[in-house]
Each structure stands twice: as C-alpha cells, then as structure tokens.
Amino acid sequence: MSGGFLMVLSGPSGSGKGTVSEALMKKNNEIVFSTSVTTRTPRPNEINGDNYFFTTIDEFERMVEEDELLEYAFVHTNYYGTPKKFVFDEIEKGEIVLLEIDVQGALQIKEKYKEAVFIFLLPPKMSELKNRLIKRDTETEEEINTRYKNAFKELDFVGEYDYFVVNNKVEQAVEDIENIIAAERLRVKRHKNIKEQVL
Amino acid sequence: MSGGFLMVLSGPSGSGKGTVSEALMKKNNEIVFSTSVTTRTPRPNEINGDNYFFTTIDEFERMVEEDELLEYAFVHTNYYGTPKKFVFDEIEKGEIVLLEIDVQGALQIKEKYKEAVFIFLLPPKMSELKNRLIKRDTETEEEINTRYKNAFKELDFVGEYDYFVVNNKVEQAVEDIENIIAAERLRVKRHKNIKEQVL
C-alpha cells in the first residue's frame, strides 16, 4: 500500500500558487517538489538533480520520442519537461509529488496520467488578483494587463480539474489542500491488496 | 454553489459502522441521516418522516416503477428503500446525506447515481471483527459464523468504493471521514459557476 500520488497545482498568476506551495511544503515532509528536466544552462548556484535535471537538446528530444515525459513545453529558447521516472519513483515510495504548472501543462498530464490529482487555485475575486499583481510591482502595466487577460482565459479550464481551492487566506488554502491529500490517501484505487491487509 | 452530496457508508457487521456514524453525526451538524421509506408497520415510538417514511405496498411499488428510489430491498416481509426526493432536496440545501447500507444496496446506488461518495469501513483485522461480534454477545455462535463469512464476501467489493477507512480507533475513523467530506466539498464537479463566483 503506497498511497502516494502526483498533485498538480495550477492557478492564474497572482493567485498565490508559490506562497501556498511553500507554506504547504514547510508543514508536510511527505511532499516533494517535482524536479523538471530542462535544456537551459544551469545558473552558478544551481545543482543538477536539485533544482533541475540539466540535459542537452538531443537527449531531451529522445526523452520526448520515447515518452519519458508527463508533459513538456518549449519556452523562449529552451525545453522544460516533467520526467515520469522521478515522479513515479517518488510515488512508489509513498510520497506526494507536487507539480506547479500552467493549465496547458496540466491538460497534457491529464491526457497521459489521469491518476494525478488536479487542483485549481483561485483568487477570492479576480479584482483581488489584479491588486496583487499591482502590489507585487514586478511587472509593467502592460504585462499586468496581459497576465490578467490570461488569468481569465485559464479560468475557463477549471472544469478540467478535480478540486478548486480559494486562496482567501494562505493558512486556509493550505488546510484545504491538506484535507484533499488526507482524503486522496484513502482512495481505494491508490491501494492494492486492501483485502489482504485486513486478513 | 451547494457542495452537498450523498455519502454511502458500508462495512461488514462488526466493523463499527453504527458507532462511527453516530460519533460523526454528533460532531457535524451539516450531516443528516438518509430517511428510508418502508412498508413495515411503525412501532409505537416511531414518527413518520423521522425514523422512516411509512407507506403501503402499493405506494412502494409505484415508487419503484416510477424510479423514485435510489435503491430498495425486500427484507423478510417488508420493503425498504431510499427515496430520491429526500436525498436530492437535502443535497440542494448543501447538506451531506449519510446512508449506512450494505454492499448490495451501495451497488444499486452506484449504478443509478455515481455522484455519491462511497466509503467502505474496514475492521483493522478480520480476526478483530470476529472478536467484536463475540464481545457484542447479541448473536448465537452460528449467527456469528454466518456474519463472519458474509463479511469476507463483502470485502470482495471494496474495489467498487471510492474510499476505505480502517476503524482502528473511532476518533481516527471519524477524522478520516471528516477529511473526505472536506475534500469532497472542494470537488469542482459539485459546484456550478465557479468562474462566475470569482468575477
């Protein structure tokens, strides 16, 4: 009985995905971040296998061809992907693998691996989302407007997810996700030999 | 956004279903027991609509024919069934309707209404189940053996359920079910207009 699973977390930018993930990880040792494979050059402080698995374009394309990735994307000039092996090895150990990813990536995963748990993080109100983006003060007005428009488009896909969590307060959002984890661990489909266990 | 649902709880006799249900209801006001309809004669202390909806055989058979029941069974000389109207009205109000039922009944419901949440309560060990039956001292040895054999057969159907909860300690089993409830309330499929909510 492993009970581990892949937890896919999406949410429009400004929904507080990063903050919620971090708070969740701090409280729960059995959650591990999914490590992506990428073709981009490692930065000086980055360790292979820790932040990312760094690889060549040839090797990445081989992985795509041999279906070794749960999803991948080409961003600017680099490939990024989620290696099956890392995810499945951790699940086998009973861990919960957390993958923060955009809607497009989540949909790719859903097609290949519907056993994952899909959670959509929502801002309490879309106007609040805009406020958060402005407050963050890391984007220009134009960028904020683009992100805001994209957030609207992403919302259309909430129906593709299993759960939604409203990020009104970080602590409550974390607790909601913890409840989801506790329940998903009790899923019959995630356990073999339940009958044998009680005999 | 209602978020209510039907929670079907099964488990072999001796698994502690009754105790767990009672403890769960005491702690959670938003849970209501499903009220069955029956053709048996009310006992002096029983109130129509409270313990059961009492009805005639003709009326019951009409309900069956017009598909007004989620499941029904003929036990000894009486019909017992779960009326859709009661269940759906409570769900509409956002309540959680708890229905304790055997595997056969649960399977009938699953066929008609798979939106329900199916939980299988397990004893920690089957030997423990036998001990509980003996301790209860309400059945003859033969009855205990029959119940024990039936419990084994019921275990084969655990794969038809969504969740399993091991009743090692009542408090823990109750907490597990509370986690399931909290998570199921966050299910996207149980809510309409999530998008409209955040706009």
Side-chain angles (χ1 to χ4, degrees), chain A residues 15 22 59 79 91 116 143:
Chain A
S15 63
E22 223 172 277
E59 171 62 5
Y79 279 121
I91 290 174
E143 277 168 346

Side-chain angles (χ1 to χ4, degrees), chain B residues 11-22:
Chain B
S13 66
S15 63
K17 237 181 329 178
T19 316
V20 168
S21 292
E22 224 172 277

Side-chain angles (χ1 to χ4, degrees), chain A residues 126 156 179 187 195 198, chain B residues 126 156 179 187 195 198:
Chain A
M126 286 301 274
D156 281 329
N179 280 330
R187 283 246 163 215
K195 195 182 171 182
V198 297
Chain B
M126 286 302 275
D156 281 329
N179 279 330
R187 283 246 163 216
K195 194 182 172 185
V198 297

Side-chain angles (χ1 to χ4, degrees), chain A residues 122-123 125-126 152 156 158 161-164 176 179 182-184 186-188 191 194-195 197-199, chain B residues 122-123 125-126 152 156 158 161-164 176 179 182-184 186-188 191 194-195 197-199:
Chain A
L122 289 164
K125 289 277 169 202
M126 286 301 274
F152 264 89
D156 281 329
V158 66
Y161 286 71
D162 298 313
Y163 299 98
F164 71 99
D176 284 349
N179 280 330
E184 286 289 336
L186 300 171
R187 283 246 163 215
V188 168
H191 296 265
I194 292 175
K195 195 182 171 182
Q197 286 273 329
V198 297
L199 292 183
Chain B
L122 290 164
K125 288 277 169 205
M126 286 302 275
F152 264 89
D156 281 329
V158 66
Y161 287 71
D162 298 313
Y163 299 98
F164 71 100
D176 284 349
N179 279 330
E184 286 289 336
L186 299 172
R187 283 246 163 216
V188 168
H191 295 265
I194 293 175
K195 194 182 172 185
Q197 284 275 327
V198 297
L199 291 183

